[in-house]
Amino acid sequence: MSIRPLALAAVAAAALSACAPAPAADFAWSQRTGQAAIEGRVAYAQDGKSYACVASAGLTPETPYTRARFRTLYGSTDRAAVPAAVVRARTVPDASADYTGFVRSEPCRDGRFRFSDLPDGGWFLIVPVRTGDEPPLVLMRRVDTRGGRVVNVTL
């Protein structure tokens, strides 16, 4: 079964969907323009198999709301590699909360991505990956930006 890259992006966005507003004031800091950047590359391997990024990388501001949501969806607020189907199947409180306007997205090109002009703060990085015909995984990592520096992340 083939899953289109946009469908995988939707899986990663399962944490980012729907109708009711999330506490917008908690996200305000993330809308400022900063000088920091996150440069990432996918080098994930499991059981001797290498995984590749198959869609866009997503970057979600860390707030009390997103921290609780990511703990439920990914089982961690630090880092995780979770089957996309498991993320989709998990239920979170206030599943209809919409904070997609605060989420940034960048395409993966040759397994690399870059988020620029970021303010200082905590972020959740989400990247859907797959190997061969196996079901996709979603990689999640918490990243801090500080002092206008470039943060290099290898997933």
Side-chain angles (χ1 to χ4, degrees):
M1 175 170 96
S2 175
I3 298 177
R4 297 179 314 209
L6 288 178
L8 286 175
V11 168
L16 317 173
S17 61
C19 305
D26 289 348
F27 292 90
W29 67 270
S30 70
Q31 298 300 289
R32 288 185 230 120
T33 299
Q35 296 180 354
I38 297 172
E39 290 185 353
R41 98 181 161 89
V42 174
Y44 186 77
Q46 181 181 29
D47 300 327
K49 299 174 187 173
S50 295
Y51 286 70
C53 181
V54 292
S56 296
L59 192 65
T60 302
E62 181 182 13
T63 69
Y65 176 81
T66 58
R67 195 171 25 260
R69 189 173 181 107
F70 277 54
R71 185 176 297 111
T72 299
L73 292 173
Y74 297 98
S76 173
T77 56
D78 183 40
R79 65 176 59 200
V82 181
V86 171
V87 174
R88 273 193 302 261
R90 290 183 173 160
T91 303
V92 294
D94 196 15
S96 66
D98 182 12
Y99 57 96
T100 57
F102 303 103
V103 177
R104 299 171 190 229
S105 179
E106 289 294 332
C108 287
R109 292 188 179 100
D110 297 321
R112 296 182 180 277
F113 52 88
R114 179 182 171 95
F115 293 94
S116 300
D117 302 323
L118 299 174
D120 290 351
W123 303 88
F124 293 110
L125 181 61
I126 305 165
V127 182
V129 298
R130 78 174 316 143
T131 186
D133 289 336
E134 292 188 20
L137 296 176
V138 181
L139 305 180
M140 184 279 294
R141 170 91 52 95
R142 186 185 174 286
V143 180
D144 281 311
T145 52
R146 298 280 180 252
R149 296 187 186 106
V150 174
V151 179
N152 290 297
V153 177
T154 300
L155 299 170

